[in-house]
Amino acid sequence: MTDQRRPDGSLRHLITLEGISRTEIDSLLDRSQGYVRALGERAPSNRALAGMTIGNLFTEPSTRTRVSFELAGRRLGAEVINLEVQLSSRVKGESMLDTIHTLEALHFDAFVIRDSEPGVVAHVAANVAAHVSVFSAGEAHQSHPTQGLLDALTVRQHKGGHFERLRIAIIGDIRHSRVARSAYEVFTALGVGELRLVAPAGLMPASGEFPAGKRCLTLEEGLADADVVMALRIQKERMTQAEIPNGEEYFARFGLTVPRLRRARPDAIVMHPQPMNRGVEIDSEVADGPQSVIRAQVRNGVAVRMAVLEALLRPRPGGA
Ligand code: CP
């Protein structure tokens, strides 16, 4: 497992939620909640990271994670630089580590990295200077830790902190989903009552993965009396052409519609990490309906990223 802790046991990097205790998760969620504001209220801000510089390096597309990490850093007083990878010397063949070491020489204190290759984030973390922290913004199919935390925060806000009472159904392309893996890690750490993996056989994870999950091959079984329903996008970018399901056929079997959602509890919440493919994994009536908390997830993303940046980064000695 990736070593993401300092010698004193505190978290230095955030690469995965694996191995993070319930106490640590609760503490991060409490800190995140302190940064949540209703729309229309003034966004929170302070100077906790004043004088620090954070680099966003995204080699895969992103809207929510990139913008919210940028806002999070700025609202904590840090300078945030978005490296346009396609305009950087990476395209001339410079390695990731040479790029990172160049930015370290420019006094960067932290890197937020999204990459399609498994292991890149941990590799960078293992090779940065001792004062530098690395945050995963989504790594291949493996992990998306801040997404897991914002999902947990969203559930806690709507369903309370008794995760052991909840049935959570994760529906769709679980096999290729980093969101599902981080959700599994955070919800199992929080002691969820039942975590259902709902997917056609071809999109189920390998048998050794998600050992505590209950596998459901039909939407009807997966949705029955669920408290939380999380739909996932089909990750076409991680499939061969032959593996990509037909959208209409998929919607007919696994698309989340209003009549199907009636199988879940009447007060069930509907989540989706986005981007959504409406009419494939979810119907617009559900995505925009009264049970949807999809926009709350987005709002919570900034709060969670403020919390993790503030919790993990240490103030530097010296002044202006
Ligand atoms: N949920 C999520 O990771 O969205 P983006 O790909 O837009 O960052």
Side-chain angles (χ1 to χ4, degrees):
M1 198 200 306
T2 309
D3 189 0
Q4 52 186 3
R5 294 182 184 274
R6 297 185 176 89
D8 66 3
S10 64
L11 282 169
R12 172 182 163 201
H13 308 295
L14 185 63
I15 300 167
T16 175
L17 295 176
E18 202 181 343
I20 300 189
S21 69
R22 176 166 194 165
T23 305
E24 289 173 310
I25 291 168
D26 281 334
S27 166
L28 286 171
L29 298 186
D30 291 343
R31 193 189 282 258
S32 303
Q33 187 62 46
Y35 282 126
V36 175
R37 299 287 185 279
L39 291 181
E41 284 183 32
R42 194 188 184 101
S45 67
N46 62 42
R47 304 288 294 158
L49 302 186
M52 302 190 103
T53 304
I54 301 170
N56 280 342
L57 283 78
F58 282 56
T59 62
E60 274 193 338
S62 169
T63 298
R64 282 145 289 270
T65 312
R66 199 179 86 140
V67 172
S68 58
F69 258 118
E70 179 174 354
L71 283 175
R74 290 189 194 284
R75 288 177 182 171
L76 292 168
E79 194 163 357
V80 182
I81 304 293
N82 291 309
L83 190 76
E84 299 299 340
V85 174
Q86 295 313 320
L87 298 178
S88 75
S89 288
R90 291 289 305 279
V91 293
K92 293 186 236 168
E94 186 169 71
S95 72
M96 178 64 117
L97 281 188
D98 283 340
T99 301
I100 292 285
H101 290 147
T102 297
L103 299 175
E104 274 183 345
L106 297 172
H107 263 269
F108 278 59
D109 302 283
F111 297 104
V112 176
I113 298 174
R114 170 172 287 193
D115 204 279
S116 59
E117 289 295 318
V120 165
V121 184
H123 181 60
V124 171
N127 286 282
V128 289
H131 64 279
V132 171
S133 292
V134 176
F135 298 82
S136 169
E139 180 180 5
H141 64 286
Q142 286 184 334
S143 71
H144 195 347
T146 54
Q147 179 74 43
L149 291 171
L150 76 87
D151 288 340
L153 181 63
T154 307
V155 172
R156 197 176 82 162
Q157 286 166 346
H158 290 86
K159 294 288 163 195
H162 290 287
F163 283 83
E164 70 282 0
R165 296 182 190 158
L166 299 180
R167 297 186 188 95
I168 299 182
I170 304 179
I171 301 170
D173 183 9
I174 299 166
R175 180 186 286 263
H176 302 99
S177 175
R178 56 191 173 210
V179 172
R181 285 174 175 77
S182 286
Y184 176 82
E185 284 160 5
V186 76
F187 290 137
T188 50
L190 291 169
V192 71
E194 188 171 284
L195 188 64
R196 299 179 186 161
L197 313 173
V198 189
L203 299 180
M204 271 296 177
S207 56
E209 285 197 283
F210 297 79
K214 179 184 172 192
R215 293 171 184 241
C216 305
L217 288 168
T218 67
L219 196 52
E220 290 66 28
E221 184 192 2
L223 284 174
D225 293 322
D227 300 284
V228 176
V229 178
M230 181 189 292
L232 298 175
R233 181 175 67 87
I234 295 174
Q235 308 272 302
K236 292 180 186 169
E237 67 274 30
R238 301 188 213 294
M239 298 179 185
T240 63
Q241 199 60 34
E243 287 173 319
I244 298 174
N246 174 285
E248 283 178 23
E249 286 171 16
Y250 181 84
F251 186 69
R253 284 185 62 207
F254 282 89
L256 195 55
T257 61
V258 168
R260 284 174 167 162
L261 187 57
R262 290 196 192 106
R263 293 187 70 86
R265 289 181 58 86
D267 60 350
I269 56 169
V270 174
M271 303 173 69
H272 192 303
Q274 304 195 73
M276 281 183 278
N277 286 313
R278 293 166 183 262
V280 178
E281 70 268 7
I282 191 165
D283 195 57
S284 282
E285 263 194 290
V286 176
D288 304 325
Q291 289 168 264
S292 171
V293 295
I294 294 171
R295 290 188 193 158
Q297 289 175 267
V298 178
R299 180 197 59 182
N300 287 334
V302 186
V304 159
R305 288 160 185 136
M306 288 180 80
V308 298
L309 289 174
E310 187 189 29
L312 272 59
L313 294 180
R314 297 274 166 87
R316 303 284 178 249

